[in-house]
Amino acid sequence: MTPPPSPLLLLLPVLLPFLSLWLPASAPACPPDCPGGSAPTLSAQPPSLSSTSSSTTSSSSPAAEAAAGSTGEQQHQLLDDLQYFQHHHHHDDDDDRYQQRDETSADTKMTRQQEQQDSAATKQRRGHGKGSRRRRKRLQDDPSLSRRLPQTIIIGVRKGGTRALLEMLSLNPAVVTAETELHFFNRDENFARGLEWYRQQMPPSRPDQVTVEKTPAYFTAPQVAARMAGYHAPSGGNVSALRLLLILRDPVERILSDYTQVFYNRAERGRECPPLRDFLLSRSTGRLRPDYKAVNRSLYADHMENWLRHFPRERLHVVDGDRLIREPLAELGRVERFLGLEPRISAGNFYFNATRGFFCLRDARRRRCLDDSKGRPHPRVDGALLERLRRFFREPNRRLFRLLGRTFDWP
């Protein structure tokens, strides 16, 4: 006589759909120009907390390093601000049909996110939610607290490490930061709401604290510098009191990060992504396209000239994004001095996460690392195309160095 089937076997068809919800999703396929091999590209040096150590540049492939489990690529990917995977999109010319389709979807997503942010801000002002009630009580109980316009703004650059900079800077107790990217100066609909709306988005702070807002899209939006230069006037302030932070990294590596964002955005929607070559090169001439937005954002000198027409050079501090990951303490010390802050960030605020391959943060309250998706490998780029990018950026980089009066370790 055949024994009756196990109850577990009978339940298996019912349980399988639920079990699949708990299984980890497979990683998206590598972009067409990703698999195997190696190509010359920037490689991070071993990390250091020394404020006096120097940096050099070596040439190896981030993709190959990631495949080998090295920490260099993961350190570079810490610079990739994950918020942009949800909050930003690319704008490109009419001849780029791939990019245009992404824009429509991203615009819709951002509109919904902005509506959600506006709704949350309205609820906060009306006192909805436990967190809002606590903030309102703090404001009532502590007359020294109020919402102030930011005295410091991180203006960019996209995919340059702005999230890492903001998180690290917040280790100083004299710094308070806006929770979200507000896009006040670059989006007409937000700018039309006025300074009072902008001020209400800021966290409560004391007069001896510095309020920081971060929106990386500011740097490359042509209208922002002029708008920002005049934003103190209605409140009786002076533009000379506003301090700007800009974080820059190797422009070619920034382009690779920009493309990686597009690739994973499409993968999340179940869509294939063309190889990077299709974005970089003109279909008709085969030449590099300076009008491709990822390339344009890396032409730092063009945008810097616009900012220097509206702000004195001494009011704009440039953070070396590549060095920030290798030597966070040294770079943050420079930022603290620029902002006139008492140096409160120390080596004890950092610990190296060997699994993640980069520094994480700790303070009296908690330990924290940036998002788990940091460390995604960059796409593979053949050596010839990479060298074309390097040659293309040499002269723009020299122009930037002359404008800033300093150089960076970029090939």
PDB file of all heavy atoms in Angstrom, residues 90-93 96 99 255 258-259 262 276 279-280 289-297:
ATOM      1  N   HIS A  90      17.811  62.467 -16.744  1.00  0.00           N
ATOM      2  CA  HIS A  90      18.641  63.112 -17.746  1.00  0.00           C
ATOM      3  C   HIS A  90      17.763  63.876 -18.721  1.00  0.00           C
ATOM      4  O   HIS A  90      16.687  63.448 -19.082  1.00  0.00           O
ATOM      5  CB  HIS A  90      19.420  62.053 -18.545  1.00  0.00           C
ATOM      6  CG  HIS A  90      20.465  61.373 -17.738  1.00  0.00           C
ATOM      7  ND1 HIS A  90      21.770  61.770 -17.743  1.00  0.00           N
ATOM      8  CD2 HIS A  90      20.402  60.321 -16.888  1.00  0.00           C
ATOM      9  CE1 HIS A  90      22.475  60.990 -16.950  1.00  0.00           C
ATOM     10  NE2 HIS A  90      21.659  60.115 -16.422  1.00  0.00           N
ATOM     11  N   HIS A  91      18.261  65.030 -19.186  1.00  0.00           N
ATOM     12  CA  HIS A  91      17.624  65.768 -20.263  1.00  0.00           C
ATOM     13  C   HIS A  91      18.588  65.717 -21.442  1.00  0.00           C
ATOM     14  O   HIS A  91      19.731  66.110 -21.326  1.00  0.00           O
ATOM     15  CB  HIS A  91      17.405  67.229 -19.872  1.00  0.00           C
ATOM     16  CG  HIS A  91      16.596  67.379 -18.629  1.00  0.00           C
ATOM     17  ND1 HIS A  91      15.227  67.384 -18.628  1.00  0.00           N
ATOM     18  CD2 HIS A  91      16.967  67.517 -17.340  1.00  0.00           C
ATOM     19  CE1 HIS A  91      14.795  67.536 -17.396  1.00  0.00           C
ATOM     20  NE2 HIS A  91      15.832  67.623 -16.599  1.00  0.00           N
ATOM     21  N   ASP A  92      18.140  65.251 -22.579  1.00  0.00           N
ATOM     22  CA  ASP A  92      19.038  65.187 -23.716  1.00  0.00           C
ATOM     23  C   ASP A  92      18.338  65.734 -24.953  1.00  0.00           C
ATOM     24  O   ASP A  92      17.157  66.014 -24.950  1.00  0.00           O
ATOM     25  CB  ASP A  92      19.507  63.755 -23.958  1.00  0.00           C
ATOM     26  CG  ASP A  92      20.938  63.720 -24.478  1.00  0.00           C
ATOM     27  OD1 ASP A  92      21.428  64.770 -24.928  1.00  0.00           O
ATOM     28  OD2 ASP A  92      21.544  62.646 -24.447  1.00  0.00           O
ATOM     29  N   ASP A  93      19.098  65.891 -26.034  1.00  0.00           N
ATOM     30  CA  ASP A  93      18.578  66.491 -27.244  1.00  0.00           C
ATOM     31  C   ASP A  93      17.675  65.530 -27.997  1.00  0.00           C
ATOM     32  O   ASP A  93      17.587  64.335 -27.698  1.00  0.00           O
ATOM     33  CB  ASP A  93      19.732  66.932 -28.141  1.00  0.00           C
ATOM     34  CG  ASP A  93      20.527  68.045 -27.487  1.00  0.00           C
ATOM     35  OD1 ASP A  93      19.973  68.732 -26.606  1.00  0.00           O
ATOM     36  OD2 ASP A  93      21.691  68.199 -27.847  1.00  0.00           O
ATOM     37  N   ASP A  96      18.463  61.801 -29.341  1.00  0.00           N
ATOM     38  CA  ASP A  96      18.741  60.677 -28.456  1.00  0.00           C
ATOM     39  C   ASP A  96      17.438  60.072 -27.987  1.00  0.00           C
ATOM     40  O   ASP A  96      16.881  60.455 -26.982  1.00  0.00           O
ATOM     41  CB  ASP A  96      19.583  61.125 -27.257  1.00  0.00           C
ATOM     42  CG  ASP A  96      20.214  59.935 -26.551  1.00  0.00           C
ATOM     43  OD1 ASP A  96      19.655  58.834 -26.640  1.00  0.00           O
ATOM     44  OD2 ASP A  96      21.252  60.129 -25.918  1.00  0.00           O
ATOM     45  N   GLN A  99      17.348  58.292 -24.368  1.00  0.00           N
ATOM     46  CA  GLN A  99      17.317  59.156 -23.199  1.00  0.00           C
ATOM     47  C   GLN A  99      15.976  59.845 -23.034  1.00  0.00           C
ATOM     48  O   GLN A  99      15.491  60.039 -21.943  1.00  0.00           O
ATOM     49  CB  GLN A  99      18.436  60.194 -23.318  1.00  0.00           C
ATOM     50  CG  GLN A  99      18.925  60.723 -22.019  1.00  0.00           C
ATOM     51  CD  GLN A  99      19.764  59.707 -21.271  1.00  0.00           C
ATOM     52  OE1 GLN A  99      19.864  58.547 -21.650  1.00  0.00           O
ATOM     53  NE2 GLN A  99      20.338  60.138 -20.183  1.00  0.00           N
ATOM     54  N   ILE A 255      31.170  60.380 -15.596  1.00  0.00           N
ATOM     55  CA  ILE A 255      30.355  59.949 -16.736  1.00  0.00           C
ATOM     56  C   ILE A 255      29.983  58.477 -16.587  1.00  0.00           C
ATOM     57  O   ILE A 255      28.835  58.081 -16.842  1.00  0.00           O
ATOM     58  CB  ILE A 255      31.106  60.194 -18.053  1.00  0.00           C
ATOM     59  CG1 ILE A 255      31.186  61.695 -18.341  1.00  0.00           C
ATOM     60  CG2 ILE A 255      30.428  59.469 -19.217  1.00  0.00           C
ATOM     61  CD1 ILE A 255      32.017  62.043 -19.552  1.00  0.00           C
ATOM     62  N   ASP A 258      27.269  58.226 -14.177  1.00  0.00           N
ATOM     63  CA  ASP A 258      26.030  58.710 -14.771  1.00  0.00           C
ATOM     64  C   ASP A 258      25.376  57.613 -15.606  1.00  0.00           C
ATOM     65  O   ASP A 258      24.168  57.374 -15.526  1.00  0.00           O
ATOM     66  CB  ASP A 258      26.333  59.931 -15.653  1.00  0.00           C
ATOM     67  CG  ASP A 258      25.291  61.026 -15.507  1.00  0.00           C
ATOM     68  OD1 ASP A 258      24.102  60.687 -15.510  1.00  0.00           O
ATOM     69  OD2 ASP A 258      25.668  62.206 -15.387  1.00  0.00           O
ATOM     70  N   TYR A 259      26.184  56.930 -16.397  1.00  0.00           N
ATOM     71  CA  TYR A 259      25.655  55.852 -17.238  1.00  0.00           C
ATOM     72  C   TYR A 259      25.167  54.684 -16.369  1.00  0.00           C
ATOM     73  O   TYR A 259      24.131  54.071 -16.661  1.00  0.00           O
ATOM     74  CB  TYR A 259      26.714  55.365 -18.214  1.00  0.00           C
ATOM     75  CG  TYR A 259      26.299  54.124 -18.971  1.00  0.00           C
ATOM     76  CD1 TYR A 259      25.325  54.192 -19.970  1.00  0.00           C
ATOM     77  CD2 TYR A 259      26.861  52.884 -18.670  1.00  0.00           C
ATOM     78  CE1 TYR A 259      24.929  53.046 -20.651  1.00  0.00           C
ATOM     79  CE2 TYR A 259      26.470  51.747 -19.348  1.00  0.00           C
ATOM     80  CZ  TYR A 259      25.504  51.827 -20.333  1.00  0.00           C
ATOM     81  OH  TYR A 259      25.108  50.699 -20.995  1.00  0.00           O
ATOM     82  N   VAL A 262      21.690  55.285 -15.307  1.00  0.00           N
ATOM     83  CA  VAL A 262      20.716  55.022 -16.367  1.00  0.00           C
ATOM     84  C   VAL A 262      20.503  53.519 -16.530  1.00  0.00           C
ATOM     85  O   VAL A 262      19.371  53.046 -16.670  1.00  0.00           O
ATOM     86  CB  VAL A 262      21.201  55.645 -17.697  1.00  0.00           C
ATOM     87  CG1 VAL A 262      20.274  55.263 -18.848  1.00  0.00           C
ATOM     88  CG2 VAL A 262      21.272  57.162 -17.577  1.00  0.00           C
ATOM     89  N   LEU A 276      27.261  52.166 -23.511  1.00  0.00           N
ATOM     90  CA  LEU A 276      27.671  53.552 -23.311  1.00  0.00           C
ATOM     91  C   LEU A 276      28.092  54.216 -24.611  1.00  0.00           C
ATOM     92  O   LEU A 276      27.857  55.406 -24.819  1.00  0.00           O
ATOM     93  CB  LEU A 276      28.812  53.604 -22.293  1.00  0.00           C
ATOM     94  CG  LEU A 276      29.390  54.982 -21.965  1.00  0.00           C
ATOM     95  CD1 LEU A 276      28.309  55.904 -21.402  1.00  0.00           C
ATOM     96  CD2 LEU A 276      30.549  54.853 -20.985  1.00  0.00           C
ATOM     97  N   PHE A 279      25.516  56.249 -26.357  1.00  0.00           N
ATOM     98  CA  PHE A 279      25.219  57.551 -25.789  1.00  0.00           C
ATOM     99  C   PHE A 279      26.315  58.564 -26.109  1.00  0.00           C
ATOM    100  O   PHE A 279      26.041  59.732 -26.357  1.00  0.00           O
ATOM    101  CB  PHE A 279      25.070  57.446 -24.260  1.00  0.00           C
ATOM    102  CG  PHE A 279      23.848  56.719 -23.803  1.00  0.00           C
ATOM    103  CD1 PHE A 279      23.916  55.400 -23.382  1.00  0.00           C
ATOM    104  CD2 PHE A 279      22.611  57.349 -23.790  1.00  0.00           C
ATOM    105  CE1 PHE A 279      22.789  54.725 -22.955  1.00  0.00           C
ATOM    106  CE2 PHE A 279      21.475  56.693 -23.365  1.00  0.00           C
ATOM    107  CZ  PHE A 279      21.562  55.374 -22.942  1.00  0.00           C
ATOM    108  N   LEU A 280      27.558  58.118 -26.080  1.00  0.00           N
ATOM    109  CA  LEU A 280      28.689  59.029 -26.186  1.00  0.00           C
ATOM    110  C   LEU A 280      28.981  59.485 -27.607  1.00  0.00           C
ATOM    111  O   LEU A 280      29.439  60.608 -27.820  1.00  0.00           O
ATOM    112  CB  LEU A 280      29.955  58.369 -25.620  1.00  0.00           C
ATOM    113  CG  LEU A 280      30.036  58.194 -24.108  1.00  0.00           C
ATOM    114  CD1 LEU A 280      31.315  57.442 -23.741  1.00  0.00           C
ATOM    115  CD2 LEU A 280      30.017  59.544 -23.413  1.00  0.00           C
ATOM    116  N   ARG A 289      30.058  63.339 -28.311  1.00  0.00           N
ATOM    117  CA  ARG A 289      28.997  64.330 -28.283  1.00  0.00           C
ATOM    118  C   ARG A 289      29.100  65.183 -27.016  1.00  0.00           C
ATOM    119  O   ARG A 289      28.684  64.756 -25.936  1.00  0.00           O
ATOM    120  CB  ARG A 289      27.640  63.636 -28.297  1.00  0.00           C
ATOM    121  CG  ARG A 289      27.350  62.822 -29.553  1.00  0.00           C
ATOM    122  CD  ARG A 289      25.993  62.147 -29.427  1.00  0.00           C
ATOM    123  NE  ARG A 289      24.977  63.120 -29.033  1.00  0.00           N
ATOM    124  CZ  ARG A 289      24.002  62.850 -28.176  1.00  0.00           C
ATOM    125  NH1 ARG A 289      23.920  61.668 -27.611  1.00  0.00           N
ATOM    126  NH2 ARG A 289      23.102  63.773 -27.880  1.00  0.00           N
ATOM    127  N   PRO A 290      29.608  66.394 -27.113  1.00  0.00           N
ATOM    128  CA  PRO A 290      29.650  67.265 -25.930  1.00  0.00           C
ATOM    129  C   PRO A 290      28.261  67.699 -25.471  1.00  0.00           C
ATOM    130  O   PRO A 290      28.103  68.179 -24.351  1.00  0.00           O
ATOM    131  CB  PRO A 290      30.485  68.455 -26.390  1.00  0.00           C
ATOM    132  CG  PRO A 290      30.371  68.460 -27.878  1.00  0.00           C
ATOM    133  CD  PRO A 290      30.234  67.031 -28.286  1.00  0.00           C
ATOM    134  N   ASP A 291      27.237  67.548 -26.349  1.00  0.00           N
ATOM    135  CA  ASP A 291      25.883  67.921 -25.964  1.00  0.00           C
ATOM    136  C   ASP A 291      25.182  66.822 -25.172  1.00  0.00           C
ATOM    137  O   ASP A 291      24.112  67.060 -24.603  1.00  0.00           O
ATOM    138  CB  ASP A 291      25.048  68.273 -27.200  1.00  0.00           C
ATOM    139  CG  ASP A 291      24.956  67.110 -28.188  1.00  0.00           C
ATOM    140  OD1 ASP A 291      25.897  66.292 -28.240  1.00  0.00           O
ATOM    141  OD2 ASP A 291      23.952  67.040 -28.918  1.00  0.00           O
ATOM    142  N   TYR A 292      25.762  65.629 -25.117  1.00  0.00           N
ATOM    143  CA  TYR A 292      25.203  64.576 -24.273  1.00  0.00           C
ATOM    144  C   TYR A 292      25.328  65.045 -22.826  1.00  0.00           C
ATOM    145  O   TYR A 292      26.389  65.436 -22.369  1.00  0.00           O
ATOM    146  CB  TYR A 292      25.952  63.269 -24.510  1.00  0.00           C
ATOM    147  CG  TYR A 292      25.637  62.152 -23.532  1.00  0.00           C
ATOM    148  CD1 TYR A 292      24.327  61.888 -23.141  1.00  0.00           C
ATOM    149  CD2 TYR A 292      26.650  61.361 -23.011  1.00  0.00           C
ATOM    150  CE1 TYR A 292      24.037  60.870 -22.258  1.00  0.00           C
ATOM    151  CE2 TYR A 292      26.379  60.331 -22.124  1.00  0.00           C
ATOM    152  CZ  TYR A 292      25.074  60.094 -21.746  1.00  0.00           C
ATOM    153  OH  TYR A 292      24.797  59.095 -20.856  1.00  0.00           O
ATOM    154  N   LYS A 293      24.229  65.015 -22.086  1.00  0.00           N
ATOM    155  CA  LYS A 293      24.185  65.661 -20.784  1.00  0.00           C
ATOM    156  C   LYS A 293      25.217  65.106 -19.804  1.00  0.00           C
ATOM    157  O   LYS A 293      25.758  65.840 -18.984  1.00  0.00           O
ATOM    158  CB  LYS A 293      22.780  65.553 -20.187  1.00  0.00           C
ATOM    159  CG  LYS A 293      21.754  66.421 -20.886  1.00  0.00           C
ATOM    160  CD  LYS A 293      22.109  67.891 -20.744  1.00  0.00           C
ATOM    161  CE  LYS A 293      21.077  68.777 -21.402  1.00  0.00           C
ATOM    162  NZ  LYS A 293      21.398  70.208 -21.252  1.00  0.00           N
ATOM    163  N   ALA A 294      25.472  63.798 -19.871  1.00  0.00           N
ATOM    164  CA  ALA A 294      26.476  63.242 -18.962  1.00  0.00           C
ATOM    165  C   ALA A 294      27.849  63.839 -19.230  1.00  0.00           C
ATOM    166  O   ALA A 294      28.634  64.058 -18.307  1.00  0.00           O
ATOM    167  CB  ALA A 294      26.525  61.722 -19.097  1.00  0.00           C
ATOM    168  N   VAL A 295      28.160  64.116 -20.492  1.00  0.00           N
ATOM    169  CA  VAL A 295      29.430  64.754 -20.839  1.00  0.00           C
ATOM    170  C   VAL A 295      29.403  66.220 -20.432  1.00  0.00           C
ATOM    171  O   VAL A 295      30.353  66.745 -19.842  1.00  0.00           O
ATOM    172  CB  VAL A 295      29.713  64.614 -22.347  1.00  0.00           C
ATOM    173  CG1 VAL A 295      30.951  65.422 -22.748  1.00  0.00           C
ATOM    174  CG2 VAL A 295      29.899  63.145 -22.723  1.00  0.00           C
ATOM    175  N   ASN A 296      28.292  66.905 -20.714  1.00  0.00           N
ATOM    176  CA  ASN A 296      28.195  68.325 -20.401  1.00  0.00           C
ATOM    177  C   ASN A 296      28.360  68.579 -18.906  1.00  0.00           C
ATOM    178  O   ASN A 296      28.979  69.567 -18.504  1.00  0.00           O
ATOM    179  CB  ASN A 296      26.854  68.868 -20.896  1.00  0.00           C
ATOM    180  CG  ASN A 296      26.678  70.335 -20.598  1.00  0.00           C
ATOM    181  OD1 ASN A 296      26.130  70.711 -19.578  1.00  0.00           O
ATOM    182  ND2 ASN A 296      27.155  71.173 -21.508  1.00  0.00           N
ATOM    183  N   ARG A 297      27.821  67.715 -18.081  1.00  0.00           N
ATOM    184  CA  ARG A 297      27.941  67.904 -16.635  1.00  0.00           C
ATOM    185  C   ARG A 297      29.388  67.779 -16.162  1.00  0.00           C
ATOM    186  O   ARG A 297      29.738  68.289 -15.106  1.00  0.00           O
ATOM    187  CB  ARG A 297      27.077  66.884 -15.895  1.00  0.00           C
ATOM    188  CG  ARG A 297      25.583  67.085 -16.081  1.00  0.00           C
ATOM    189  CD  ARG A 297      24.789  66.123 -15.214  1.00  0.00           C
ATOM    190  NE  ARG A 297      23.376  66.236 -15.505  1.00  0.00           N
ATOM    191  CZ  ARG A 297      22.663  65.326 -16.184  1.00  0.00           C
ATOM    192  NH1 ARG A 297      23.267  64.250 -16.633  1.00  0.00           N
ATOM    193  NH2 ARG A 297      21.378  65.511 -16.414  1.00  0.00           N
TER     194      ARG A 297
END
